[in-house]
Structure formats: structure tokens, C-alpha cells
Amino acid sequence: MGVVIKQSAYASIINYLGVAIGAVNMIFLFPEFLTQKELGLFKVIFSMAIILSPFAQVGLARTTLRYFPRFNKGHKSSGRFFTFVLIMGFFTISVFIGLFQLVDQWVFGFFEKNAPELIHQYWLIIILVAIMVYISIFEAYYKAQLNVVIPTFMREFFLRITSSVLAFLYFLDYISFEWFLRFSVATYALSLLLLFSIVILKGQLRFNFSIFQLKRSFIQDMTKYMFFIMASAVGSVIVLQIDQLMVTGYLGLKENGIYVIAFFMGTVIEIPRRSISQMSDALIANAFENERLDEIKKIYKQSSINQLILGSFVFILVIINLDNIYAIMPKGDDYASGKWIVVLIGLSKLINMSFGVNSEIIVSSKFYKSNIYFVIVLAVLTIALNAFLIPKYGLTGAAIATLSSILLFNVIKLIYIYIKLDFQPFSIHTLSTLLLSGLCLFLVSIVPQFSNPIVNGAYLTMLTCLIFGLLMLFFKPSKEITKIIQPLRDRFNF
């Protein structure tokens, strides 16, 4: 777990730096530089690409992570395997584009009434899908070598800072909105090129086209795994992304512009999970390969309590500062109707974090095939909930649907892992963390506040850090978190 903590620490710094840039983009630049409709279109293009990419990827990224340890015996062996994966990626993308032509009118027809502008971006979305497939494959290759810092930098920092630059160029009338969208997709292509170049320059990838030396039995086993993982990935992205598409289809691009900003604030809470799960992923796959179940059980429990503590802390910070954020946001009154969306999406992310790295365990285990069934059921349920709740309750209905789906998804995975592996992530520290977090939120919410939103935000943030940190130090629900906070206490002698 030491490798996980070290890499996760570096990745977390990049993640939070990226979030800072993303927050500037979503809270200040985009509301000021883009209309609600333009923002809604910009974001739904990427949501559509994210949902379509698992169909084009066919589980290749996860397959790379699962089978790489088997071939990690030198450049010749690993090079042969990864070359095969890259060739398969070209093949699966080509098949996807051909098959999608059969259903594209049905898919895009959903947006014809309230968001016809999305239909005009058809080929831009297809190109983005292809780029995302290869980015995912290279990210998996980096993770398989226990390197999450570089792909995290590209995804969380590089892509966001280039969005800032493009937004400024559009605001200054150097480019049109159409070219803003095209250049935004081009930055993903540049990110892919950089991921490829770095791994080549570091000597961590050497192509080996003797792929026919791979055993037929292995290719058959790998292919079966790919299709099962694809179904699982499709279900997962539907749960996480379909709300934006359905908000756009039912309510329009303008409403999606409001929704995506609130959604972004809610997703800030899960940043610690990204870093921990990225590193745990490779370790879990390696532990299953070597049948070290005790190590997996330990990672499961540690990820649950650590993610719950970190997620609760960020959740409290976001909730107590909601009024301050909307007060300083350009055109904040136009977006303030999304406050309850922030709360509900934030709760859904906190719930997801509290259940630990359950998805990583299932898809790396020999029971990965079973994952497809309840993921498909969950995806259907998510679509049904959104279809029922969005027309009835609007944007809040979409957030309720997301919360309900994620809660059910995690409960199903919890029960399944417990039945199959006799693992469960919770302990008495889970309950104590929830109670301490609730106490911290209550104490911060009742203190007198300042009228100036910037001063008030800084004041409430510092107060939350102090109260939450003291509670964690005194009750010590997590050894890892205590080790992080302890040096601060020693330095300031409190």
C-alpha cells in the first residue's frame, strides 16, 4: 500500500490543481464567456463521446490492465502484447463506426426537438470517441506500470488548462464557437500524442509485431473478457453520464448548462477516490494474478475508510460554501437554481467513495463475468429513473435519479463481493466518521458569518479545516489519515 500512497499523493496534488483550474473554468470563465446554451452544447458533446467510447473500446483498456502482469517479463513480451492491443483498438473503432451508422438516426433523433445543434456535431463526436479509446488504452498501460502521475496530469491538468486558453480565445473573438469546439477535441488528440511520446522516450514501450506468437487460447480468453468488460463499462458510463444527455434531450441545452456547473461542484468531492482507485487498480489486478486475497481485503477496507474521510471533508467544504460560490460567480443568479443538484450529486459521490474500490475488485476477479448482469440492470434502471423524474421534477429529478442509481449500484456490489469473496469494507470507524462529519457540518453551519462572500468563504473553509482535522486527530478513525495530519499538529503544537 506504500506505493499506492506515494503515487496517490502526487496524483492527488495534480488532481486538486486540475480541480482548481476546472473550478475557475466552470465557475468563472465559462459562465462569463459562454452562454448557457453554448456551455450546454460543449459539455453534452463530451458526455455523448464518453457514453459511446466503451462501445468502440470493447474493454481494451481494462484488458490491458488485467493481462499486462502476465506479459511483464521484458520489453519483447510486453511489447508484443501491447502492440496487439493497439491493433485491436484500430479494429474495434472501425467496427464501431460501421455499426453505429445503423442506429445513429435513432440515437440523435432524441435531441431533434430540444437540442438540434448537437446533431450538427456528429462527426466531431465520432472523432472524439476514437481519440478517447486510445487515451484509455495508454492510461491503462501507464497504470499497469504503477504510474498514474503522467496520465493524471494529462487528464486533470493539461486538458483543463487548454480549455481555459480556448475559452479566452473565443471570448476575444480570435476563434468562433465552432472552432472552439473543434480545438477542444484537438487538445485530446494532442494529449494522446504526448502520452505516446513520453512512454516511447522513457523506453517503456517497444513495438513487437510478432503478435501471431500469442497463443490462440489466450486470445480467445482475452476476447471473452473484453466483451464482458465492455458491457460493464457501458453500464457504468450510462449511470454516470446519461443524466446530462437526458437533461439535454428533455429540457434543452440551456438547462444542461445549469446542470453541468452544479454537477461539477458535486463531483469535486470524489477527487480523492480517483487517485486511490487508480493505484489500487493495478495492485488488485496483480494480487488476483498471484492469489493474494488478504492483500485485496486490506486494500478494500483501507480504500473505504480513507475515501469516506477525505470525501466527507470535501463535501462539507462544498456545502457550507454554496451560497458564497454562487454569489461570486458571474451571472450566478442564472445558475443558482442548481444548488440542490450540488447537494444530491455530492451525496451520490460520497456514497460511492464510502463503498471502497468494489468495482476494481469485481472486474479483476474470476467473477468478472457476473458483473455484466447487474450493471445492465442498473443501466436500464438509471435510464428509467431519469425518464420518469426529469419530466416531472426537472434538473432536481436528474440528480435524484443519479443518487438512487449509485446507491443501488454500490449495495449490489457490496452484497456480491461479500457472497463471493467474504469481503466487506465497513467497520466501526465508518460509523464514527459519519457521526464526526455530521458534527463538523453542524458546528460550522451555526457559527456567525460575514456578508462578504469571499471573506466568508475563507473563514468557513479555515474553520472547517480546523474542526474536522481536530476531530480526526482525536478519534483516529484511519491510521493513514492520522499520519498525514500528525505532522501539521506537531508543527503548530496543538
Side-chain angles (χ1 to χ4, degrees), residues 307-327:
Q307 288 180 170
L308 178 60
I309 292 172
L310 295 173
S312 297
F313 173 64
V314 181
F315 178 77
I316 294 169
L317 287 177
V318 171
I319 297 305
I320 63 167
N321 280 300
L322 264 186
D323 290 335
N324 300 320
I325 293 171
Y326 280 105

PDB file of all heavy atoms in Angstrom, residues 307-327:
ATOM      1  N   GLN A 307     -11.337   6.976   1.779  1.00  0.00           N
ATOM      2  CA  GLN A 307     -12.144   7.733   0.829  1.00  0.00           C
ATOM      3  C   GLN A 307     -13.327   8.404   1.526  1.00  0.00           C
ATOM      4  O   GLN A 307     -13.713   9.525   1.173  1.00  0.00           O
ATOM      5  CB  GLN A 307     -12.641   6.816  -0.292  1.00  0.00           C
ATOM      6  CG  GLN A 307     -11.528   6.402  -1.248  1.00  0.00           C
ATOM      7  CD  GLN A 307     -12.004   5.489  -2.359  1.00  0.00           C
ATOM      8  OE1 GLN A 307     -11.258   5.219  -3.302  1.00  0.00           O
ATOM      9  NE2 GLN A 307     -13.215   4.993  -2.284  1.00  0.00           N
ATOM     10  N   LEU A 308     -13.912   7.734   2.506  1.00  0.00           N
ATOM     11  CA  LEU A 308     -15.036   8.318   3.238  1.00  0.00           C
ATOM     12  C   LEU A 308     -14.591   9.565   4.004  1.00  0.00           C
ATOM     13  O   LEU A 308     -15.284  10.590   4.005  1.00  0.00           O
ATOM     14  CB  LEU A 308     -15.640   7.297   4.199  1.00  0.00           C
ATOM     15  CG  LEU A 308     -16.793   7.799   5.073  1.00  0.00           C
ATOM     16  CD1 LEU A 308     -17.955   8.284   4.212  1.00  0.00           C
ATOM     17  CD2 LEU A 308     -17.256   6.707   6.040  1.00  0.00           C
ATOM     18  N   ILE A 309     -13.444   9.490   4.662  1.00  0.00           N
ATOM     19  CA  ILE A 309     -12.947  10.630   5.428  1.00  0.00           C
ATOM     20  C   ILE A 309     -12.630  11.812   4.509  1.00  0.00           C
ATOM     21  O   ILE A 309     -13.084  12.944   4.733  1.00  0.00           O
ATOM     22  CB  ILE A 309     -11.700  10.237   6.246  1.00  0.00           C
ATOM     23  CG1 ILE A 309     -12.081   9.249   7.354  1.00  0.00           C
ATOM     24  CG2 ILE A 309     -11.025  11.470   6.848  1.00  0.00           C
ATOM     25  CD1 ILE A 309     -10.898   8.658   8.087  1.00  0.00           C
ATOM     26  N   LEU A 310     -11.876  11.545   3.458  1.00  0.00           N
ATOM     27  CA  LEU A 310     -11.489  12.620   2.541  1.00  0.00           C
ATOM     28  C   LEU A 310     -12.705  13.182   1.807  1.00  0.00           C
ATOM     29  O   LEU A 310     -12.834  14.399   1.631  1.00  0.00           O
ATOM     30  CB  LEU A 310     -10.456  12.098   1.538  1.00  0.00           C
ATOM     31  CG  LEU A 310      -9.107  11.675   2.135  1.00  0.00           C
ATOM     32  CD1 LEU A 310      -8.235  11.011   1.077  1.00  0.00           C
ATOM     33  CD2 LEU A 310      -8.381  12.866   2.739  1.00  0.00           C
ATOM     34  N   GLY A 311     -13.601  12.287   1.397  1.00  0.00           N
ATOM     35  CA  GLY A 311     -14.809  12.730   0.713  1.00  0.00           C
ATOM     36  C   GLY A 311     -15.714  13.554   1.605  1.00  0.00           C
ATOM     37  O   GLY A 311     -16.291  14.563   1.169  1.00  0.00           O
ATOM     38  N   SER A 312     -15.851  13.153   2.869  1.00  0.00           N
ATOM     39  CA  SER A 312     -16.687  13.899   3.819  1.00  0.00           C
ATOM     40  C   SER A 312     -16.137  15.304   4.034  1.00  0.00           C
ATOM     41  O   SER A 312     -16.891  16.284   4.110  1.00  0.00           O
ATOM     42  CB  SER A 312     -16.763  13.156   5.154  1.00  0.00           C
ATOM     43  OG  SER A 312     -17.384  11.900   5.011  1.00  0.00           O
ATOM     44  N   PHE A 313     -14.826  15.396   4.132  1.00  0.00           N
ATOM     45  CA  PHE A 313     -14.183  16.703   4.324  1.00  0.00           C
ATOM     46  C   PHE A 313     -14.481  17.639   3.155  1.00  0.00           C
ATOM     47  O   PHE A 313     -14.902  18.790   3.346  1.00  0.00           O
ATOM     48  CB  PHE A 313     -12.677  16.502   4.487  1.00  0.00           C
ATOM     49  CG  PHE A 313     -11.886  17.777   4.529  1.00  0.00           C
ATOM     50  CD1 PHE A 313     -12.057  18.696   5.554  1.00  0.00           C
ATOM     51  CD2 PHE A 313     -10.967  18.064   3.538  1.00  0.00           C
ATOM     52  CE1 PHE A 313     -11.334  19.875   5.592  1.00  0.00           C
ATOM     53  CE2 PHE A 313     -10.233  19.234   3.559  1.00  0.00           C
ATOM     54  CZ  PHE A 313     -10.423  20.143   4.592  1.00  0.00           C
ATOM     55  N   VAL A 314     -14.300  17.142   1.929  1.00  0.00           N
ATOM     56  CA  VAL A 314     -14.544  17.979   0.752  1.00  0.00           C
ATOM     57  C   VAL A 314     -16.037  18.288   0.624  1.00  0.00           C
ATOM     58  O   VAL A 314     -16.413  19.405   0.246  1.00  0.00           O
ATOM     59  CB  VAL A 314     -14.019  17.285  -0.519  1.00  0.00           C
ATOM     60  CG1 VAL A 314     -14.258  18.171  -1.741  1.00  0.00           C
ATOM     61  CG2 VAL A 314     -12.530  16.976  -0.392  1.00  0.00           C
ATOM     62  N   PHE A 315     -16.898  17.320   0.953  1.00  0.00           N
ATOM     63  CA  PHE A 315     -18.346  17.534   0.892  1.00  0.00           C
ATOM     64  C   PHE A 315     -18.766  18.683   1.802  1.00  0.00           C
ATOM     65  O   PHE A 315     -19.546  19.563   1.411  1.00  0.00           O
ATOM     66  CB  PHE A 315     -19.076  16.252   1.285  1.00  0.00           C
ATOM     67  CG  PHE A 315     -20.575  16.373   1.290  1.00  0.00           C
ATOM     68  CD1 PHE A 315     -21.292  16.355   0.104  1.00  0.00           C
ATOM     69  CD2 PHE A 315     -21.268  16.496   2.481  1.00  0.00           C
ATOM     70  CE1 PHE A 315     -22.682  16.472   0.103  1.00  0.00           C
ATOM     71  CE2 PHE A 315     -22.646  16.605   2.498  1.00  0.00           C
ATOM     72  CZ  PHE A 315     -23.358  16.590   1.302  1.00  0.00           C
ATOM     73  N   ILE A 316     -18.240  18.695   3.020  1.00  0.00           N
ATOM     74  CA  ILE A 316     -18.572  19.769   3.967  1.00  0.00           C
ATOM     75  C   ILE A 316     -18.105  21.119   3.422  1.00  0.00           C
ATOM     76  O   ILE A 316     -18.840  22.116   3.478  1.00  0.00           O
ATOM     77  CB  ILE A 316     -17.937  19.489   5.343  1.00  0.00           C
ATOM     78  CG1 ILE A 316     -18.556  18.241   5.965  1.00  0.00           C
ATOM     79  CG2 ILE A 316     -18.112  20.679   6.284  1.00  0.00           C
ATOM     80  CD1 ILE A 316     -17.829  17.737   7.200  1.00  0.00           C
ATOM     81  N   LEU A 317     -16.893  21.158   2.875  1.00  0.00           N
ATOM     82  CA  LEU A 317     -16.375  22.407   2.314  1.00  0.00           C
ATOM     83  C   LEU A 317     -17.272  22.939   1.195  1.00  0.00           C
ATOM     84  O   LEU A 317     -17.546  24.139   1.124  1.00  0.00           O
ATOM     85  CB  LEU A 317     -14.956  22.200   1.784  1.00  0.00           C
ATOM     86  CG  LEU A 317     -13.835  22.050   2.805  1.00  0.00           C
ATOM     87  CD1 LEU A 317     -12.507  21.788   2.101  1.00  0.00           C
ATOM     88  CD2 LEU A 317     -13.725  23.295   3.685  1.00  0.00           C
ATOM     89  N   VAL A 318     -17.712  22.043   0.332  1.00  0.00           N
ATOM     90  CA  VAL A 318     -18.557  22.463  -0.785  1.00  0.00           C
ATOM     91  C   VAL A 318     -19.909  22.965  -0.290  1.00  0.00           C
ATOM     92  O   VAL A 318     -20.390  24.033  -0.701  1.00  0.00           O
ATOM     93  CB  VAL A 318     -18.751  21.303  -1.784  1.00  0.00           C
ATOM     94  CG1 VAL A 318     -19.812  21.659  -2.825  1.00  0.00           C
ATOM     95  CG2 VAL A 318     -17.433  20.966  -2.478  1.00  0.00           C
ATOM     96  N   ILE A 319     -20.542  22.212   0.619  1.00  0.00           N
ATOM     97  CA  ILE A 319     -21.895  22.547   1.067  1.00  0.00           C
ATOM     98  C   ILE A 319     -21.925  23.885   1.816  1.00  0.00           C
ATOM     99  O   ILE A 319     -22.801  24.726   1.580  1.00  0.00           O
ATOM    100  CB  ILE A 319     -22.461  21.421   1.951  1.00  0.00           C
ATOM    101  CG1 ILE A 319     -22.579  20.133   1.142  1.00  0.00           C
ATOM    102  CG2 ILE A 319     -23.823  21.819   2.522  1.00  0.00           C
ATOM    103  CD1 ILE A 319     -23.376  20.251  -0.119  1.00  0.00           C
ATOM    104  N   ILE A 320     -20.970  24.101   2.708  1.00  0.00           N
ATOM    105  CA  ILE A 320     -21.015  25.342   3.501  1.00  0.00           C
ATOM    106  C   ILE A 320     -20.675  26.563   2.668  1.00  0.00           C
ATOM    107  O   ILE A 320     -20.974  27.701   3.061  1.00  0.00           O
ATOM    108  CB  ILE A 320     -20.048  25.263   4.713  1.00  0.00           C
ATOM    109  CG1 ILE A 320     -18.605  25.128   4.245  1.00  0.00           C
ATOM    110  CG2 ILE A 320     -20.431  24.137   5.655  1.00  0.00           C
ATOM    111  CD1 ILE A 320     -17.585  25.354   5.332  1.00  0.00           C
ATOM    112  N   ASN A 321     -20.045  26.337   1.500  1.00  0.00           N
ATOM    113  CA  ASN A 321     -19.657  27.472   0.655  1.00  0.00           C
ATOM    114  C   ASN A 321     -20.550  27.664  -0.565  1.00  0.00           C
ATOM    115  O   ASN A 321     -20.243  28.496  -1.429  1.00  0.00           O
ATOM    116  CB  ASN A 321     -18.206  27.294   0.189  1.00  0.00           C
ATOM    117  CG  ASN A 321     -17.200  27.699   1.249  1.00  0.00           C
ATOM    118  OD1 ASN A 321     -17.178  28.840   1.690  1.00  0.00           O
ATOM    119  ND2 ASN A 321     -16.378  26.748   1.674  1.00  0.00           N
ATOM    120  N   LEU A 322     -21.656  26.933  -0.643  1.00  0.00           N
ATOM    121  CA  LEU A 322     -22.501  27.018  -1.828  1.00  0.00           C
ATOM    122  C   LEU A 322     -22.983  28.441  -2.100  1.00  0.00           C
ATOM    123  O   LEU A 322     -22.880  28.953  -3.223  1.00  0.00           O
ATOM    124  CB  LEU A 322     -23.705  26.083  -1.677  1.00  0.00           C
ATOM    125  CG  LEU A 322     -23.592  24.701  -2.322  1.00  0.00           C
ATOM    126  CD1 LEU A 322     -24.906  23.959  -2.205  1.00  0.00           C
ATOM    127  CD2 LEU A 322     -23.158  24.810  -3.773  1.00  0.00           C
ATOM    128  N   ASP A 323     -23.530  29.101  -1.071  1.00  0.00           N
ATOM    129  CA  ASP A 323     -24.024  30.464  -1.254  1.00  0.00           C
ATOM    130  C   ASP A 323     -22.904  31.415  -1.650  1.00  0.00           C
ATOM    131  O   ASP A 323     -23.096  32.321  -2.472  1.00  0.00           O
ATOM    132  CB  ASP A 323     -24.699  30.959   0.031  1.00  0.00           C
ATOM    133  CG  ASP A 323     -26.009  30.251   0.303  1.00  0.00           C
ATOM    134  OD1 ASP A 323     -26.628  29.766  -0.661  1.00  0.00           O
ATOM    135  OD2 ASP A 323     -26.411  30.162   1.478  1.00  0.00           O
ATOM    136  N   ASN A 324     -21.731  31.211  -1.068  1.00  0.00           N
ATOM    137  CA  ASN A 324     -20.579  32.055  -1.406  1.00  0.00           C
ATOM    138  C   ASN A 324     -20.160  31.866  -2.862  1.00  0.00           C
ATOM    139  O   ASN A 324     -19.823  32.830  -3.562  1.00  0.00           O
ATOM    140  CB  ASN A 324     -19.401  31.729  -0.484  1.00  0.00           C
ATOM    141  CG  ASN A 324     -19.721  31.967   0.976  1.00  0.00           C
ATOM    142  OD1 ASN A 324     -20.383  32.935   1.323  1.00  0.00           O
ATOM    143  ND2 ASN A 324     -19.266  31.066   1.845  1.00  0.00           N
ATOM    144  N   ILE A 325     -20.168  30.600  -3.310  1.00  0.00           N
ATOM    145  CA  ILE A 325     -19.748  30.307  -4.687  1.00  0.00           C
ATOM    146  C   ILE A 325     -20.677  30.970  -5.695  1.00  0.00           C
ATOM    147  O   ILE A 325     -20.228  31.636  -6.632  1.00  0.00           O
ATOM    148  CB  ILE A 325     -19.701  28.780  -4.912  1.00  0.00           C
ATOM    149  CG1 ILE A 325     -18.577  28.155  -4.068  1.00  0.00           C
ATOM    150  CG2 ILE A 325     -19.483  28.463  -6.388  1.00  0.00           C
ATOM    151  CD1 ILE A 325     -18.595  26.641  -4.045  1.00  0.00           C
ATOM    152  N   TYR A 326     -21.977  30.790  -5.499  1.00  0.00           N
ATOM    153  CA  TYR A 326     -22.931  31.375  -6.445  1.00  0.00           C
ATOM    154  C   TYR A 326     -22.942  32.904  -6.362  1.00  0.00           C
ATOM    155  O   TYR A 326     -23.280  33.583  -7.336  1.00  0.00           O
ATOM    156  CB  TYR A 326     -24.326  30.812  -6.212  1.00  0.00           C
ATOM    157  CG  TYR A 326     -24.532  29.443  -6.825  1.00  0.00           C
ATOM    158  CD1 TYR A 326     -24.568  28.296  -6.034  1.00  0.00           C
ATOM    159  CD2 TYR A 326     -24.681  29.298  -8.195  1.00  0.00           C
ATOM    160  CE1 TYR A 326     -24.756  27.041  -6.596  1.00  0.00           C
ATOM    161  CE2 TYR A 326     -24.863  28.051  -8.775  1.00  0.00           C
ATOM    162  CZ  TYR A 326     -24.900  26.925  -7.962  1.00  0.00           C
ATOM    163  OH  TYR A 326     -25.072  25.679  -8.539  1.00  0.00           O
ATOM    164  N   ALA A 327     -22.564  33.446  -5.197  1.00  0.00           N
ATOM    165  CA  ALA A 327     -22.543  34.903  -5.043  1.00  0.00           C
ATOM    166  C   ALA A 327     -21.419  35.547  -5.843  1.00  0.00           C
ATOM    167  O   ALA A 327     -21.562  36.666  -6.357  1.00  0.00           O
ATOM    168  CB  ALA A 327     -22.406  35.268  -3.565  1.00  0.00           C
TER     169      ALA A 327
END
